[in-house]
Amino acid sequence: MQPWPADSEEFEDMLFNQAASSDHLRQLMKLEEEAMERSMRAPRADVLGRQREQVLQSMMGLTNRCQLDQDGWSCAVSLLDSYLASSGHIAHDIQMLPLTCVAVLRLVKKFHGNRGVPDQIGSGMWLSMAKQMLPTLGRQIELSETKLGQHETEILQRMQWQIQEPLQQQWLTVYCRRFSALTSQKFVPAIAWVKQKSMFFVRLLLFVEATSTRNPPREFALGMFCLGLAWRQLLSPECLACLRPDDVPISHWSSALQQLSLPGHVESAPCSLVEALPLLEAATAASRCELQQATRWVVHRLLELRAKHPAMLAALNAS
């Protein structure tokens, strides 16, 4: 992470010119530091392996039944990955998987999914959901309200009594809020669109595989934020061209961007907000090199997803 340039006259002038609150930006920096610390501690193993898609398909069906929104579903997937990856008894945890999936959903529903409304789903419904998963996953485990409650406590203890949204989402939230602050809140609807579009790909990536060294959360959020701004035409084609790493041929870069429905060549864009990179660097506290590498990495990952998931085509063409 780049040091917060609080002593930079140029940065202070930017804050003054944009009428941004220094206190608010410092709060966002604190959130960014907390996310960085969590990134260093985050488990990086994908325990589910080939079972992952089957398990998450079943969880998605249960998510609809318990009326969790998309943010709740991604939080549940992140919690499941973290719980399983931190296990010292993988065989036992895999055996308990149906109960674990339901316990995870109920915990997220309690802590994040209710929007202040008490849970209206009785214990019988939650146990029924666990039984639904048994035939799918082929497990034989004890099912009871007592067992479900005990398992929730086990999960919370292993997670140190913290249920947090996925790291990618935390990074995106910081970047979007800081960018809005630096632009005097003039583009709030557009930034909300950028976050929504970026979160679609975050959830798709979570569905495909767990957060790992292959998918570093900060780098993915950083690259997605840059591409999201370009999709929304808040980042000029000239600026997007500057995010090409020096070792990537121009022809390859242009072809990759065009496959992602992005401008692959430099052209005038008078309606674009960002004509240079300093504002983007300030919003993300990232260096030019970090922005380039993160953007290249995310372009590569999205092209991989595009080849494997038809839903990507519709998402790329959606306004």
Side-chain angles (χ1 to χ4, degrees), residues 176 180 186-196 228-229 232 234:
C176 289
S180 291
K186 294 178 181 177
F187 302 94
V188 172
I191 297 303
W193 183 95
V194 169
K195 182 178 179 182
Q196 181 181 16
L229 292 176
R232 192 59 178 176
L234 293 179

Side-chain angles (χ1 to χ4, degrees), residues 32-52:
E32 188 177 51
E33 290 173 346
E34 291 173 353
M36 179 65 78
E37 291 176 0
R38 188 181 162 211
S39 293
M40 300 298 292
R41 301 191 307 267
R44 300 184 181 277
D46 184 357
V47 176
L48 293 174
R50 294 182 179 180
Q51 296 186 84
R52 182 175 185 77

Side-chain angles (χ1 to χ4, degrees), residues 71-139:
D71 286 343
W73 182 82
S74 57
C75 183
V77 174
S78 179
L79 177 59
L80 178 67
D81 285 333
S82 296
Y83 173 75
L84 294 177
S86 62
S87 173
H89 306 283
I90 294 177
H92 173 264
D93 282 346
I94 293 298
Q95 182 181 10
M96 296 288 291
L97 197 53
L99 199 61
T100 299
C101 291
V102 174
V104 161
L105 287 172
R106 192 161 80 162
L107 285 171
V108 172
K109 180 75 171 176
K110 288 177 179 178
F111 285 86
H112 287 289
N114 279 340
R115 310 297 185 189
V117 179
D119 186 9
Q120 301 296 321
I121 303 178
S123 59
M125 178 65 74
W126 288 109
L127 293 175
S128 174
M129 292 184 191
K131 291 177 181 178
Q132 277 185 279
M133 296 196 72
L134 286 174
T136 303
L137 302 178
R139 311 297 179 192

Side-chain angles (χ1 to χ4, degrees), residues 224-251:
M224 278 306 317
F225 181 66
C226 293
L227 294 183
L229 292 176
W231 272 315
R232 192 59 178 176
Q233 297 182 348
L234 293 179
L235 196 68
S236 70
E238 294 89 343
C239 188
L240 186 58
C242 291
L243 294 179
R244 176 184 63 85
D246 294 337
D247 59 340
V248 176
I250 295 177
S251 59

Side-chain angles (χ1 to χ4, degrees), residues 192-262:
W193 183 95
V194 169
K195 182 178 179 182
Q196 181 181 16
K197 180 116 177 169
S198 299
M199 279 306 303
F200 171 85
F201 295 109
V202 167
R203 295 184 184 106
L204 182 57
L205 189 66
L206 281 173
F207 186 85
V208 173
E209 56 192 44
T211 298
S212 65
T213 52
R214 179 167 157 76
N215 299 305
R218 178 178 178 250
E219 284 78 354
F220 190 80
L222 185 60
M224 278 306 317
F225 181 66
C226 293
L227 294 183
L229 292 176
W231 272 315
R232 192 59 178 176
Q233 297 182 348
L234 293 179
L235 196 68
S236 70
E238 294 89 343
C239 188
L240 186 58
C242 291
L243 294 179
R244 176 184 63 85
D246 294 337
D247 59 340
V248 176
I250 295 177
S251 59
H252 292 178
W253 187 249
S254 297
S255 175
L257 295 182
Q258 288 172 359
Q259 290 181 66
L260 296 176
S261 301
L262 287 163

